[in-house]
Amino acid sequence: MIPATFVGMALALGSLIAMMLLEGSSPLAVVLLPPLVLVFGATFGAAVAGSAMADLRKLGSWFRMAFGPDGGSTTGSLIAQLVELATMARKEGMLPLENRARTVEDPFLRRGLQLAIDAVPMEQVRHVLEREIEATRSDDLVAARFFAKMGGYAPTIGIIGTVVGLVQVLKSLQDPTVLGPLVASAFVATLWGVLSANFIWLPISVKIRRNADLRAAEMELVLEGVCEILAGTNPRALRQKLQAMLPPSEAQLSAA
């Protein structure tokens, strides 16, 4: 499935291009290297200036979070996996789960199972996993705030580019033949500043926040599942409890 980020950005850019074509102008008219360099380069630089160097090492994972698969897509398989583990624990006890835990792909679930297998008290298991959920969500929000800052800086930097371009216009007042192209070129920087903020950076920030919410919800579901496995809850009751944590539409899909 194509991530919603691509669909939304393509629709926004397509609407802009369609408007320009309907008005008889060429979309390539706004593709000018100087304003592009200023807006994108200075916007990124300003955002970096307000961040820690350690944050920049996570840029790749931040973009994957925005443009990768939409969050929440593994909820159904997680519930099925937790019910399977609960069934195994009820029949064979906790120790046989150790070999099964090694094959679990989800690292959060794997760590939770290891705590349960090591006979860590349930309250401590819950405390450890809750702290990890909080730390993960806090880390995700750093990414969202980074792109939100870029969305805030971009329009202002675009205006700076326009002012710089207008200075060049004022220097050429003696030659009326070049005033039109120079004025148009000057305002392209403002266009790219506003466009990049509203078509790229702010949507990425919102998408990361949404995926952070979905990831935290999945981790909370895993937390409850591990604690119920540790408590020896009936697998059928576990499935019902986990499905009750989902929105109704998702619960119906996971039950299907």
Side-chain angles (χ1 to χ4, degrees):
M1 185 179 295
I2 301 175
T5 314
F6 285 114
V7 175
M9 287 185 177
L11 182 59
L13 289 171
S15 300
L16 174 64
I17 293 171
M19 184 210 75
M20 297 181 72
L21 293 174
L22 290 171
E23 289 189 343
S25 60
S26 171
L28 295 177
V30 298
V31 182
L32 301 176
L33 187 58
L36 286 171
V37 170
L38 173 69
V39 170
F40 285 91
T43 298
F44 181 72
V48 168
S51 305
M53 289 304 295
D55 295 336
L56 302 183
R57 302 190 187 100
K58 304 173 186 175
L59 275 174
S61 63
W62 290 353
F63 277 105
R64 284 193 296 273
M65 193 176 208
F67 292 99
D70 295 337
S73 58
T74 61
T75 302
S77 61
L78 272 177
I79 291 178
Q81 196 170 31
L82 287 165
V83 171
E84 177 193 346
L85 292 167
T87 302
M88 184 182 299
R90 289 264 293 186
K91 289 181 178 179
E92 305 175 24
M94 297 299 297
L95 287 179
L97 285 180
E98 187 164 7
N99 291 332
R100 179 68 177 82
R102 295 194 186 99
T103 65
V104 172
E105 293 184 4
D106 188 296
F108 184 69
L109 174 55
R110 190 163 57 246
R111 286 190 291 273
L113 286 174
Q114 193 58 56
L115 290 172
I117 293 166
D118 292 342
V120 176
M122 186 187 299
E123 290 304 316
Q124 187 174 344
V125 171
R126 182 177 293 276
H127 177 78
V128 170
L129 296 183
E130 284 177 347
R131 298 291 80 76
E132 183 169 345
I133 292 173
E134 290 177 7
T136 300
R137 180 165 178 75
S138 176
D139 195 44
D140 291 342
L141 292 181
V142 170
R145 286 193 292 269
F146 181 87
F147 290 107
K149 287 188 293 185
M150 291 185 71
Y153 295 141
T156 305
I157 291 172
I159 293 172
I160 293 172
T162 295
V163 172
V164 172
L166 290 176
V167 170
Q168 185 64 29
V169 170
L170 294 176
K171 289 181 178 180
S172 304
L173 288 178
Q174 71 279 6
D175 187 0
T177 60
V178 300
L179 287 182
L182 285 177
V183 170
S185 176
F187 280 100
V188 166
T190 296
L191 170 65
W192 277 108
V194 176
L195 184 151
S196 63
N198 291 280
F199 284 18
I200 304 175
W201 309 128
L202 293 179
I204 286 178
S205 174
V206 173
K207 180 59 180 290
I208 289 176
R209 283 183 179 273
R210 176 59 176 154
N211 275 344
D213 290 339
L214 292 171
R215 178 152 73 168
E218 283 190 349
M219 294 175 78
E220 288 170 2
L221 185 143
V222 168
L223 183 154
E224 292 298 328
V226 169
C227 289
E228 294 298 329
I229 290 173
L230 190 56
T233 301
N234 182 282
R236 185 177 301 174
L238 173 61
R239 180 185 293 275
Q240 292 174 346
K241 180 173 182 178
L242 295 180
Q243 288 176 346
M245 297 174 64
L246 304 177
S249 58
E250 292 184 24
Q252 292 174 2
L253 291 174
S254 66

